[in-house]
């Protein structure tokens, strides 16, 4: 019998602070000590799931680009829009991935067990974004099947001009993604934000695309 929702909710919904491993065990029909046996403790389970969530997140970002119309701007826009949409989907995981000090013990486990692979996936994501930006600058669509073991790191992450705008786009989309996924507490209830939120997000995306175009080195 499935436990009541107050006893067990996915971490994406309730966040790491309220996540209940007992509810997970009850739902799956396994004994409570299984969590400790396989993951060490509750935080070990969360850390491993956070890593898996992040790897899938990076894969979904790229799938959205590949599904977009084959123009440089459409592909860059698809990456941005997927960044916003996927952060809403993972919701509570954002607290683990973007605010690691929310739980220093989870952060330590995540870094110890998965830190290197985590960083490789992050660099892959930034390399893909850098290539999308270069495509906009060059007016071309480049087919590049990069993966964590094969991408031109120095060429894409070693250029100051490319790295500067890549960081700007990444940070600017992440900020909105976090705001939309958790609905920034101080701004809740402000009528204009509630009513115009989607328009603001769309305008923000288009402003960033213009910024990419205008930042092309002369």
């Amino acid at each position: 019998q499935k436990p009541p929702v107050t006893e067990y909710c996915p971490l994406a919904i309730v966040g790491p602070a309220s996540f209940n491993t007992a509810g997970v065990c009850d739902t799956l029909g396994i004994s409570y000590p299984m969590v400790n046996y396989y993951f060490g403790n509750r935080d070990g389970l969360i850390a491993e799931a956070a890593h898996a969530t992040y790897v899938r997140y990076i894969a979904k970002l790229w799938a959205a680009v590949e599904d977009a119309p084959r123009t440089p701007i459409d592909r860059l826009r698809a990456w941005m829009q997927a960044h916003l949409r996927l952060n809403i989907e993972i919701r509570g995981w954002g607290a683990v991935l973007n605010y690691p000090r929310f739980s220093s013990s989870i952060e330590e486990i995540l870094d110890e067990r998965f830190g290197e692979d985590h960083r490789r996936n992050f660099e892959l994501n930034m390399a893909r974004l850098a290539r999308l930006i270069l495509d906009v600058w060059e007016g071309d669509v480049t087919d590049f099947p990069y993966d964590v073991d094969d991408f031109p790191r120095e060429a894409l992450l070693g250029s100051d001009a490319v790295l500067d705008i890549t960081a700007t786009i990444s940070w600017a989309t992440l900020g909105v993604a976090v705001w939309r996924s958790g609905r920034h507490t101080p701004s809740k209830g402000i009528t204009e934000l509630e009513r115009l939120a989607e328009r603001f997000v769309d305008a923000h995306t288009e402003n960033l695309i213009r910024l990419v175009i205008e930042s092309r080195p002369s």
Side-chain angles (χ1 to χ4, degrees):
Q1 182 179 0
K2 185 177 179 180
V5 74
T6 52
E7 181 180 346
Y8 165 61
C9 287
L11 189 146
I13 296 174
V14 302
S18 300
F19 179 69
N20 186 341
T21 57
V24 174
C25 293
D26 290 343
T27 300
L28 297 177
I30 60 177
S31 64
Y32 299 163
M34 295 294 280
V35 171
N36 292 344
Y37 179 79
Y38 284 104
F39 303 102
N41 54 30
R42 169 188 179 276
D43 287 352
L45 170 61
I46 292 176
E48 184 152 345
H51 176 63
T53 298
Y54 184 68
V55 172
R56 291 191 192 113
Y57 175 84
I58 299 302
K60 287 182 178 180
L61 273 177
W62 191 241
V65 172
E66 292 188 315
D67 287 342
R70 284 181 59 81
T71 73
I73 289 178
D74 281 327
R75 282 158 62 91
L76 178 60
R77 182 184 291 113
W79 186 94
M80 294 183 188
Q81 291 174 340
H83 198 178
L84 300 172
R85 184 186 72 254
L86 291 170
N87 268 275
I88 294 174
E89 287 183 12
I90 67 174
R91 289 182 286 183
W93 287 110
V96 179
L97 296 169
N98 297 313
Y99 302 100
R101 285 299 170 187
F102 183 83
S103 176
S104 58
S105 60
I106 296 173
E107 178 191 18
E108 290 170 4
I109 297 169
L110 189 56
D111 194 52
E112 178 183 345
R113 297 182 186 174
F114 308 106
E116 180 59 28
D117 196 39
H118 224 56
R119 284 183 283 275
R120 291 170 71 216
N121 275 274
F122 171 78
E123 287 192 347
L124 170 64
N125 189 38
M126 291 300 97
R128 286 169 169 170
L129 175 57
R131 185 65 255 178
L132 292 173
I133 290 170
L134 283 169
D135 280 359
V136 171
W137 286 354
E138 296 167 1
D140 195 12
V141 172
T142 306
D143 288 313
F144 48 100
Y146 301 161
D147 59 37
V148 292
D149 297 313
D150 182 22
F151 66 91
R153 185 182 189 281
E154 292 304 319
L156 293 173
L157 303 180
S159 164
D160 287 347
V162 176
L163 202 54
D164 286 349
I165 190 62
T166 299
T168 295
I169 299 305
S170 178
W171 287 336
T173 49
L174 177 62
V176 176
V178 171
W179 176 72
R180 289 294 285 143
S181 63
R183 284 319 312 267
H184 182 243
T185 301
S187 63
K188 282 184 177 178
I190 298 177
T191 304
E192 292 82 2
L193 285 177
E194 298 286 348
R195 181 168 52 87
L196 300 174
E198 292 304 324
R199 199 190 83 186
F200 290 158
V201 171
D202 290 343
H204 179 68
T205 302
E206 297 309 310
N207 286 336
L208 290 177
I209 290 173
R210 281 194 292 273
L211 177 62
V212 170
I213 294 170
E214 294 168 359
S215 67
R216 176 183 177 182
S218 55

